[in-house]
């Protein structure tokens, strides 16, 4: 009589170890987003401001708690938005979410609805709704026709009463000249910025970047993403605070002068400029 486990009894334990090693090799969705955020030098507040996702939801997702999202559709949208904000490919995370939460829900087939409508018995009585609609259309058309005829007659009468023998010549009408559109702020306008204020222009020259700007009181005056080629100009009486999500893609002009800084691509920079910047020399 043999005592101990047979080879067949040991195989399930080996498979469980392989599966456990596979799970440990792949981080969870929340852990992957958290690591990418930290690697990008961003705080939860920075990500929440850039994506408009509330801070409590960002914390919950990083803890792999998706109950605060309000459903699978919103959870997928939040995962995609947060992944892009921390420069992470959202496709693998969405696939992992589908594996862990049963994939996308199947759409409701529309065929039964059309079938039910097709087999509904026809009404044999008079179609009063169609008759009422036709009557309303006829009344509206008659009223509109009467109003148009009345306007034409009154216009002709006004012309006849107001005309004089000297008016037979073609009248000259005064036309309003359209107002010229306000020009965009140019480099020369920034160079001529008032000395009693600080003027900062941010240009996304080499790519897109998330930008946040606050005034001297700490109030947010801009929070968003600049696409490549976009510019934003900020002005304050004494001080402008900036946060550049990708400083390497940005050109800065302060009080009409370009700031020569060797910002690295992907680096996050927090900067403050006053009306005395840049310093002479």
């Amino acid at each position: 009589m043999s005592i101990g486990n047979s080879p067949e009894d040991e195989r399930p334990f080996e498979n469980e170890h392989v599966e456990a090693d596979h799970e440990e090799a792949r981080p969870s969705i929340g852990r992957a987003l958290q690591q990418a955020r930290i690697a990008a030098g961003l705080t939860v507040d920075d990500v929440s401001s850039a994506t408009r996702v509330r801070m409590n939801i960002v914390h919950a997702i990083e803890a792999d708690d998706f109950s605060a999202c309000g459903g699978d559709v919103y959870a997928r949208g939040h995962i995609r938005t947060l992944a892009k904000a921390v420069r992470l490919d959202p496709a693998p995370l969405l696939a992992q979410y589908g594996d862990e939460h049963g994939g996308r829900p199947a759409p409701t087939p529309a065929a039964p609805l059309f079938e039910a409508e097709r087999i509904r018995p026809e009404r044999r009585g008079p179609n009063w709704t169609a008759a009422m609609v036709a009557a309303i259309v006829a009344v509206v058309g008659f009223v509109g026709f009467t109003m148009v005829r009345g306007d034409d007659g009154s216009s002709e009468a006004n012309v006849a009463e107001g005309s004089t023998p000297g008016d037979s010549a073609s009248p000259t009408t005064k036309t309003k000249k359209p107002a010229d559109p306000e020009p965009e702020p140019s480099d020369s306008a920034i160079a001529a910025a008032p000395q009693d204020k600080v003027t900062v222009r941010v240009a996304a020259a080499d790519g897109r970047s998330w930008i946040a700007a606050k005034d001297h009181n700490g109030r947010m005056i801009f929070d968003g993403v600049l696409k490549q080629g976009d510019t934003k100009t900020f002005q304050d009486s004494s001080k402008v605070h900036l946060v550049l999500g990708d400083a390497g893609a940005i050109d800065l002009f302060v009080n009409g002068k370009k700031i020569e800084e060797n910002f690295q691509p992907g680096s996050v920079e927090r900067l403050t400029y006053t009306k005395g910047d840049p310093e002479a020399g």
Side-chain angles (χ1 to χ4, degrees), residues 192-199 235-239 255 274-276:
Q195 298 297 321
D196 59 341
K197 294 183 179 180
V198 54
T199 304
Q235 197 172 71
D236 189 74
S237 59
S238 61
K239 190 179 298 183
N255 297 326
T274 65
K275 58 187 177 182

Side-chain angles (χ1 to χ4, degrees), residues 65-101:
D65 180 7
F66 301 98
S67 60
C69 297
D72 284 347
V73 175
Y74 296 103
R76 292 175 186 275
H78 290 331
I79 291 171
R80 183 181 293 104
T81 301
L82 296 179
K84 291 180 179 180
V86 298
R87 304 178 188 88
L88 200 62
D89 184 9
L93 298 180
L94 293 174
Q96 183 176 350
Y97 182 86
D99 294 339
E100 296 174 356
H101 294 81

Side-chain angles (χ1 to χ4, degrees), residues 217-235:
N217 290 322
R219 291 176 297 188
M220 186 72 69
I221 55 180
F222 179 78
D223 181 5
V225 176
L226 293 188
K227 297 180 180 178
Q228 186 171 4
D230 290 350
T231 62
K232 279 289 182 182
T233 301
F234 312 111
Q235 197 172 71

